Amino acid sequence: METGGNGPPKPIWNIVMVSAIAAGIQFGWALQLSLLTPYVQTLGVPHVWAAFIWLCGPISGLLVQPIVGYFSDHCTSRIGRRRPFIAAGACLVAMAVFFVGFAKDIGHRAGDSLDNPTKPRAVAVFVTGFWILDVANNMLQGPCRAFLADLSGSDHKRMRIANGWFSFFMAIGNVLGYAAGSYSNLYKLLPFTTTTACDVYCANLKTCFIIDIVFLLSVTITAITTVKETPLKSNGSLDEGEGGSSEPFIVEIVTAFKTLKKPMWILLLVTCLNWIAWFPFLLYDTDWVGVEVFGGKVNGSSSEQKLYDDGVRAGALGLMINSIVLAFTSLGLEPVSRLIGGVKNLWGVVNFILAAGLAGTVWITKVAEAWRAKQGPQILTSPPTNVKSFALAVFGLLGIPLS
């Protein structure tokens, strides 16, 4: 995606307004990461299939962002290059979130039985909405970043400021999303969300997503109506003299791969392994707390279900702590890297921290299992404070390498 130009930088308030859209985007991502894996299991989808559903994120990021970026760079709409895609992405997110949140209700009206643990029609609605949601999020995020680059002109300092504001609002969105996911009585704000097919947990999720729709549409409409954009002329140039390469992003990527040297290939390999480690944690983190730490069970007895729900909310609280640590750590990365001898050393250290944090999840699981074995299978109660504290500490620790 072409991200820059020769025009003069725009006022800081323009950058802040556009960056605020990141809070709406990340609010939705936070809800996805904390609530959707447990939710999809209440529809009767087993763990292994949940992982396949989540493949949409990497696939859409690989395909959608370059395609949207290319067409955004060459869009000649009279309202600008980026704003049409930002508006369309926000509308698609709102539609997709509605399908995800109301999947159980739609499935029930379409014929799903309340007594059957597997709800095929609800699953079909959920998967459709989920894939649209990931595509729409990628469609929204790419043009937002490109718009910030356009607003920064060719001023590198202004671009760093824009990236800083974008990261700041991402952290805000994370904290809001995880806080909403960790609160068990949010559904009381919107009592109509509790229905025959949708229990309290489902109603909480539905309420979170309704809030996300309102929040995202509010910040998006405010940004695209208050921040003006220079349209692209039909000859491929901007009124202010901005321009860029017309070569498609995918072609640029392929060309870049051909010129990579061995150190860069090693760096990319380690990064690949890094995200192979991250993906299971991000996918199952709240589910891990609900099942392994709290000893709950999806669709089990009322006591087992309550333990699982409490664990999921505790996991969402852990993710909020993770986001807070991430935000503060991000601010200190540059001075810390100088202190320990450069970015390369810092990157190596945080990879070891990641390994230690993930290993800690295994140890916490074993401690929780040993504690439940002492209590006996008939006693269903939350784990002791030290076990919960260790689990939350792991979430916080992993905020460092995530930054």
Side-chain angles (χ1 to χ4, degrees):
M1 179 180 291
E2 182 267 307
T3 56
N6 301 318
K10 300 299 188 292
I12 288 292
W13 72 265
N14 284 9
I15 289 174
V16 174
M17 293 300 296
V18 174
S19 297
I21 298 175
I25 298 172
Q26 209 63 28
F27 191 113
W29 278 119
L31 293 175
Q32 283 182 260
L33 292 172
S34 60
L35 299 179
L36 286 194
T37 293
Y39 175 65
V40 77
Q41 291 178 69
T42 67
L43 303 179
V45 178
H47 273 77
V48 62
W49 290 106
F52 283 109
I53 294 173
W54 275 90
L55 281 175
C56 174
I59 292 173
S60 64
L62 181 67
L63 299 177
V64 174
Q65 284 208 30
I67 293 172
V68 170
Y70 176 77
F71 284 104
S72 171
D73 287 343
H74 298 82
C75 178
T76 56
S77 169
R78 62 185 179 84
I79 64 172
R81 294 189 293 173
R82 317 300 182 189
R83 291 193 295 173
F85 291 90
I86 293 173
C91 291
L92 282 175
V93 167
M95 180 183 72
V97 163
F98 174 83
F99 283 135
V100 169
F102 286 80
K104 278 190 174 181
D105 295 310
I106 297 172
H108 178 56
R109 287 182 176 273
D112 281 342
S113 171
L114 295 178
D115 298 325
N116 190 346
T118 302
K119 300 171 176 58
R121 295 168 184 83
V123 170
V125 174
F126 171 84
V127 171
T128 301
F130 185 81
W131 278 65
I132 294 174
L133 179 59
D134 265 5
V135 169
N137 272 330
N138 280 295
M139 180 179 176
L140 181 58
Q141 187 164 309
C144 276
R145 289 185 179 274
F147 196 9
L148 289 174
D150 296 339
L151 294 173
S152 301
S154 55
D155 189 328
H156 295 294
K157 181 180 179 180
R158 185 63 61 92
M159 188 64 218
R160 289 197 297 272
I161 293 174
N163 283 329
W165 277 108
F166 195 84
S167 297
F168 171 77
F169 280 109
M170 285 181 68
I172 293 295
N174 271 335
V175 171
L176 292 176
Y178 294 138
S182 65
Y183 184 54
S184 61
N185 294 316
L186 197 63
Y187 71 97
K188 293 181 179 179
L189 295 175
L190 303 173
F192 67 86
T193 56
T194 305
T195 63
T196 303
C198 192
D199 59 11
V200 171
Y201 177 80
C202 168
N204 260 325
L205 179 139
K206 196 188 299 182
T207 303
C208 287
F209 276 128
I210 291 173
I211 294 172
D212 178 43
I213 291 174
V214 174
F215 181 51
L216 175 62
L217 291 181
S218 298
V219 294
T220 302
I221 291 171
T222 302
I224 63 178
T225 54
T226 58
V227 180
K228 304 303 179 184
E229 186 181 5
T230 304
L232 183 70
K233 293 181 178 179
S234 57
N235 62 3
S237 63
L238 293 174
D239 287 339
E240 294 182 359
E242 295 181 2
S245 170
S246 61
E247 190 175 56
F249 182 76
I250 295 176
V251 175
E252 293 180 356
I253 288 291
V254 173
T255 303
F257 272 128
K258 292 179 180 179
T259 60
L260 290 180
K261 298 184 182 298
K262 184 178 178 181
M264 183 57 72
W265 279 110
I266 295 174
L267 179 66
L268 292 175
L269 175 62
V270 175
T271 302
C272 176
L273 295 173
N274 194 299
W275 278 102
I276 290 174
W278 270 117
F279 190 77
F281 179 79
L282 295 175
L283 181 58
Y284 293 116
D285 41 23
T286 54
D287 187 65
W288 165 68
V289 180
V291 176
E292 305 291 345
V293 179
F294 274 65
K297 185 178 180 182
V298 182
N299 296 325
S301 66
S302 59
S303 298
E304 290 173 327
Q305 184 66 52
K306 183 180 184 303
L307 276 178
Y308 181 79
D309 293 343
D310 290 344
V312 169
R313 285 191 290 271
L317 175 62
L319 287 170
M320 186 180 72
I321 295 171
N322 176 277
S323 298
I324 294 172
V325 172
L326 185 155
F328 282 103
T329 306
S330 297
L331 297 176
L333 284 179
E334 190 170 340
V336 172
S337 67
R338 289 197 301 266
L339 186 65
I340 64 175
V343 175
K344 182 175 69 173
N345 292 344
L346 176 64
W347 190 65
V349 168
V350 298
N351 275 322
F352 283 110
I353 293 176
L354 170 61
L358 295 178
T361 63
V362 178
W363 176 73
I364 292 169
T365 297
K366 297 299 182 183
V367 172
E369 289 176 347
W371 180 82
R372 286 195 295 273
K374 288 183 179 179
Q375 304 302 308
Q378 288 78 24
I379 301 178
L380 297 175
T381 183
S382 298
T385 302
N386 63 324
V387 174
K388 291 185 282 189
S389 300
F390 286 140
L392 294 178
V394 166
F395 277 95
L397 179 68
L398 289 175
I400 298 173
L402 192 58
S403 67

